[in-house]
Amino acid sequence: MTTIKDVANLAGVSVATVSRVINDRGYVHADTRKKVEDAVKALHFSPNEVARSLYTRKSKLIGLLLPDIANPYFPQLARGVEDRMQEQDYRLIFGNSDEDERKEQDYIQTFIQNNVVGVISSTNYPHSSIYEKLKIPVVFLDRTSLDRPSVYADGREGGRLAAKEIIQRGSKRITVMQGPSHIRPAQDRYEGAIEVIREAGMDHEIIQTSSFSFNEAGVWAEELFRKYPDTDGVIASNDIAAMAVLHEAHRIGKNVPVDVQVIGFDDIPMSGLLSPALSTIRQPAYEMGREAAGLLIQLVEQNKLENKNIQLPVSFIERGTTRKVRE
């Protein structure tokens, strides 16, 4: 592995001079700079970002924490963050918490040890003390906080849209999957759906779920049809839960959307590949990631924030798990 000392030897200069060239700190004569740059190219030398940050006291590393990379929604967020960060020459260190608070805390410590200058977190625990103690900027992504910058979609409107659409298409006995009680955006979409259902005077049932993960979605889908076999409309807490409901409906012989309609939430890429394809509420995940990255860059570079909380709009995506609206 090529080291900075190898570059210095080939260029015939000191290690300190190489450091000044690489980090663009201090005066270096043009001829000397060219020798160093030629040596870097010849040796294919790539300076370690952490080591460089320790030298300059200025890092270009950002920590990104997601709760479950098995859920295709979160890589969409990550891609938006990464693309925006790369435009400004920042790099990411990534952590997957598996919705485990202890694991999340371990990753935050790892970020700190690697000298990150900021953190973007899709945490399930925005009020954890570890965030209160952080001395670097934090932006919550797809999560909300009273005292930290946040980027999130309009979950309440998403819930209202889902309820309006499923009622308009003829469902009379609706079951709403509530989503984790400790995640504010999940409760926003649940409360939005319930508002519309109650305003319409419709019968409804509730299935409480504790996470957004693949692992338990099938269990909740089985519980839903066991408890409420006459359900003819399901508003799921996310697309993963909706897929599990669709699978369970097929297993027990229900026709979707004739016997039961299903609406998801997120619009993950595979939603359109199912049979029937999933009707859902689209959250602009990629755009949310970009917005969160932009907010964090402004904080790191100590620019004034015009708006520390950014809410993006949602929309209904009509596919095959809902009926056509009757004229």
Side-chain angles (χ1 to χ4, degrees), residues 32 40 46 52 59 63 70 75 83 102 116 118 123 127 156 160 175 184 196 206 214 230 245 264 299-300 316 321 326:
T32 303
V40 167
S46 178
R52 175 160 57 184
S59 166
D83 285 354
R102 178 60 62 85
V116 301
T123 177
H127 304 299
R156 184 173 293 272
R160 291 183 62 85
T175 298
R184 185 65 250 171
V196 170
I206 298 167
F214 272 103
D230 294 333
V245 169
L299 290 168
V300 168
F316 175 64
T321 58
R326 294 177 181 176

Side-chain angles (χ1 to χ4, degrees), residues 225 243-257 260 274-276 321:
F225 286 114
M243 291 176 188
V245 169
L246 179 60
H247 175 79
E248 181 64 13
H250 286 167
R251 189 186 72 81
I252 62 179
K254 288 183 178 289
N255 182 296
V256 178
V260 57
L274 301 173
S275 182
T321 58

Side-chain angles (χ1 to χ4, degrees), residues 171 173 230-233 253-261 323:
S171 287
R173 299 174 300 279
D230 294 333
T231 290
D232 67 354
K254 288 183 178 289
N255 182 296
V256 178
V258 176
D259 299 325
V260 57
Q261 299 188 94
R323 307 173 199 131

Side-chain angles (χ1 to χ4, degrees), residues 136-147:
I136 55 177
V138 176
V139 172
F140 288 129
L141 175 55
D142 193 37
R143 301 293 186 263
T144 57
S145 170
L146 295 176
D147 57 351

Side-chain angles (χ1 to χ4, degrees), residues 13 53 75 82 126 142 147 193 197 204 225 322:
V13 299
S53 71
E82 180 187 33
D142 193 37
D147 57 351
I197 293 170
H204 68 278
F225 286 114
T322 49

Side-chain angles (χ1 to χ4, degrees), residues 114-148:
N114 281 275
N115 204 33
V116 301
V117 291
V119 172
I120 295 175
S121 178
S122 291
T123 177
N124 285 5
Y125 311 98
H127 304 299
S128 172
S129 62
I130 194 166
Y131 292 106
E132 295 176 7
K133 296 175 183 176
L134 279 179
K135 305 300 183 184
I136 55 177
V138 176
V139 172
F140 288 129
L141 175 55
D142 193 37
R143 301 293 186 263
T144 57
S145 170
L146 295 176
D147 57 351
R148 295 279 191 174

Side-chain angles (χ1 to χ4, degrees), residues 22-245:
I22 290 172
N23 296 294
D24 197 23
R25 289 174 62 91
Y27 173 77
V28 178
H29 190 277
D31 291 342
T32 303
R33 180 179 294 276
K34 187 175 187 311
K35 288 180 182 178
V36 172
E37 290 172 347
D38 289 345
V40 167
K41 291 178 182 177
L43 295 173
H44 304 288
F45 177 66
S46 178
N48 180 278
E49 186 66 45
V50 175
R52 175 160 57 184
S53 71
L54 291 173
Y55 175 81
T56 63
R57 301 299 179 190
K58 290 178 66 178
S59 166
K60 299 289 280 188
L61 292 172
I62 299 294
L64 173 62
L65 185 68
L66 300 178
D68 181 16
I69 59 170
N71 183 336
Y73 170 71
F74 291 108
Q76 289 180 278
L77 292 176
R79 186 55 186 265
V81 172
E82 180 187 33
D83 285 354
R84 181 70 177 84
M85 286 296 180
Q86 284 198 328
E87 291 169 8
Q88 299 296 320
D89 200 31
Y90 285 87
R91 297 294 180 266
L92 299 181
I93 301 178
F94 168 74
N96 174 51
S97 72
D98 286 325
E99 300 187 354
D100 183 310
E101 188 171 12
R102 178 60 62 85
K103 190 174 179 182
E104 181 172 320
Q105 291 174 347
D106 289 343
Y107 268 119
I108 294 295
Q109 290 301 323
T110 298
F111 293 161
I112 294 170
Q113 290 164 7
N114 281 275
N115 204 33
V116 301
V117 291
V119 172
I120 295 175
S121 178
S122 291
T123 177
N124 285 5
Y125 311 98
H127 304 299
S128 172
S129 62
I130 194 166
Y131 292 106
E132 295 176 7
K133 296 175 183 176
L134 279 179
K135 305 300 183 184
I136 55 177
V138 176
V139 172
F140 288 129
L141 175 55
D142 193 37
R143 301 293 186 263
T144 57
S145 170
L146 295 176
D147 57 351
R148 295 279 191 174
S150 304
V151 177
Y152 52 95
D154 190 347
R156 184 173 293 272
E157 178 59 19
R160 291 183 62 85
L161 268 177
K164 287 177 182 177
E165 295 293 344
I166 211 164
I167 291 171
Q168 189 177 25
R169 286 163 169 75
S171 287
K172 304 294 185 184
R173 299 174 300 279
I174 301 168
T175 298
V176 181
M177 303 180 80
Q178 184 169 352
S181 60
H182 58 289
I183 299 178
R184 185 65 250 171
Q187 296 312 298
D188 286 344
R189 65 186 70 162
Y190 162 74
E191 290 168 6
I194 293 298
E195 282 176 8
V196 170
I197 293 170
R198 288 176 176 164
E199 287 168 3
M202 306 291 291
D203 290 336
H204 68 278
E205 305 292 351
I206 298 167
I207 291 289
Q208 175 71 61
T209 64
S210 58
S211 80
F212 285 133
S213 72
F214 272 103
N215 299 334
E216 299 173 81
V219 175
W220 295 320
E222 290 178 12
E223 178 187 349
L224 188 156
F225 286 114
R226 184 176 66 253
K227 285 186 172 181
Y228 313 118
D230 294 333
T231 290
D232 67 354
V234 177
I235 299 173
S237 52
N238 69 348
D239 282 352
I240 299 301
M243 291 176 188
V245 169

